[in-house]
Amino acid sequence: MLRVLILAFMTLGACAPVAIDVQGGPRPLPQPVSQPSGAPLSASQAARQFVRVAETVEPVAEAECRRYAPRLNCDFLIVVDDRPGQPPNAFQTLDSTGRPILAFNLGLINAVENADELAFVMGHEAAHHVLDHLTQQRNNATVGAAVLSGLATVSGASDVYVREAGRLGATVGARTYSKDFELEADQLGTIITARAGFDPVNGAEFFTRLPDPGNRFLGTHPPNAARMDIVRRTASQL
C-alpha cells in the first residue's frame, strides 16, 4: 500500500526537511502538469509533480537495488529540504540505521523543466546508493589520508603537518574516482529512469544547463558531454 508520510512542503512554509516514504509496487506513469511551454511551474504544481515522480521512481529504484545489491538496505526514504533561497541540490546519504536517503531541495525541484529531468536526477541519486559509492568514497579517503600522513611522518614533519597531510590525503582520495562514480550513476540512473517509464535522454538535459566542469584535475564531476554520451549509449541498449 502506498504511503506518503508528509506532503506539507507543498505549502513551502516550514524549515525542517520533509519526508516522503513510498511503499508498494510501481505506480502508473504520472500525467504531466499542464503548463504553457517554457513557463515555470507554480510552487504547488512543482510540488505535485515531485510527489508523482517520487511515487513512480522509488519502487523501481528499490527493485533495481534489490536486484543489483541485495545485501544493501533498499528501502529508500525521499526527503525535501524546503528552506527557501538555496541553490539547486540533490544528494544521496544514509541515516543512522543505514537506510538510504535521497534528498532534494526546493531549488532543484523548481529548476527542473519537466518530469523526465526530475526522474533522472532521482534515478541518478538512487544509483549512487545501489552502487555503494559512499562506502567506496570513504575507503578511498581513508587510504589517501594514511598514505600522505605516512609520507609526512617519514619525512620528519611536525604533528601539525602530519595532520594537515592526512586531511589533504583524505580529500584527494575521496575525489580520485568521483568522476567515475558519477558516470556509473548516470548509467544505472538511465536504466532506473527508463524502467520507471520516463525518458532518460530528455531527463539528462538537466545537466546541460549546469556549468560544464570540464575535465579538471581532482574535479568531482565529469564533463557534461561525457555524461550525455553514456546516457544516450545506455538508453539505446534498453
Side-chain angles (χ1 to χ4, degrees):
M1 179 179 180
L2 182 69
R3 178 162 57 95
V4 178
L5 291 182
I6 306 174
L7 301 183
F9 75 92
M10 294 175 67
T11 67
L12 309 185
C15 290
V18 175
I20 302 176
D21 193 0
V22 183
Q23 296 182 348
R27 312 296 295 174
L29 186 64
Q31 295 300 309
V33 177
S34 178
Q35 190 76 356
S37 177
L41 299 178
S42 68
S44 61
Q45 287 173 323
R48 287 197 297 272
Q49 175 172 265
F50 182 84
V51 172
R52 293 188 186 109
V53 170
E55 290 175 343
T56 308
V57 172
E58 193 280 340
V60 177
E62 181 174 334
E64 290 301 303
C65 179
R66 297 190 188 284
R67 187 165 72 89
Y68 275 83
R71 61 184 177 81
L72 294 180
N73 184 334
C74 296
D75 185 17
F76 289 101
L77 177 65
I78 300 173
V79 302
V80 176
D81 178 355
D82 63 351
R83 292 175 298 171
Q86 301 295 311
N89 190 30
F91 62 91
Q92 180 265 318
T93 188
L94 303 174
D95 69 10
S96 59
T97 69
R99 185 179 186 184
I101 295 174
L102 307 181
F104 305 83
N105 69 3
L106 293 182
L108 186 287
I109 293 170
N110 289 327
V112 297
E113 292 188 349
N114 51 62
D116 290 330
E117 291 186 352
L118 185 56
F120 184 81
V121 174
M122 200 170 291
H124 172 91
E125 296 302 332
H128 275 307
H129 174 67
V130 177
L131 297 168
D132 206 14
H133 283 160
L134 282 180
T135 298
Q136 295 179 60
Q137 187 178 54
R138 284 194 297 268
N139 291 342
N140 292 340
T142 299
V143 171
V147 169
L148 282 195
S149 62
L151 289 174
T153 300
V154 170
S155 69
S158 67
D159 290 343
V160 172
Y161 282 107
V162 170
R163 287 195 294 271
E164 287 299 318
R167 281 193 284 269
L168 175 61
T171 299
V172 172
R175 293 185 177 184
T176 299
Y177 298 105
S178 60
K179 294 178 185 178
D180 292 338
F181 292 165
E182 291 301 319
L183 292 175
E184 290 171 2
D186 285 340
Q187 183 177 42
L188 181 55
T190 297
I191 296 170
I192 292 172
T193 304
R195 288 181 175 166
F198 296 94
D199 182 346
V201 176
N202 188 49
E205 289 293 330
F206 175 76
F207 292 122
T208 67
R209 299 197 303 278
L210 301 178
D212 195 325
N215 196 23
R216 294 175 298 160
F217 176 65
L218 292 183
T220 59
H221 287 70
N224 292 341
R227 305 189 72 170
M228 289 301 301
D229 179 63
I230 198 166
V231 170
R232 292 192 181 100
R233 286 191 288 109
T234 302
S236 69
Q237 296 169 5
L238 297 178

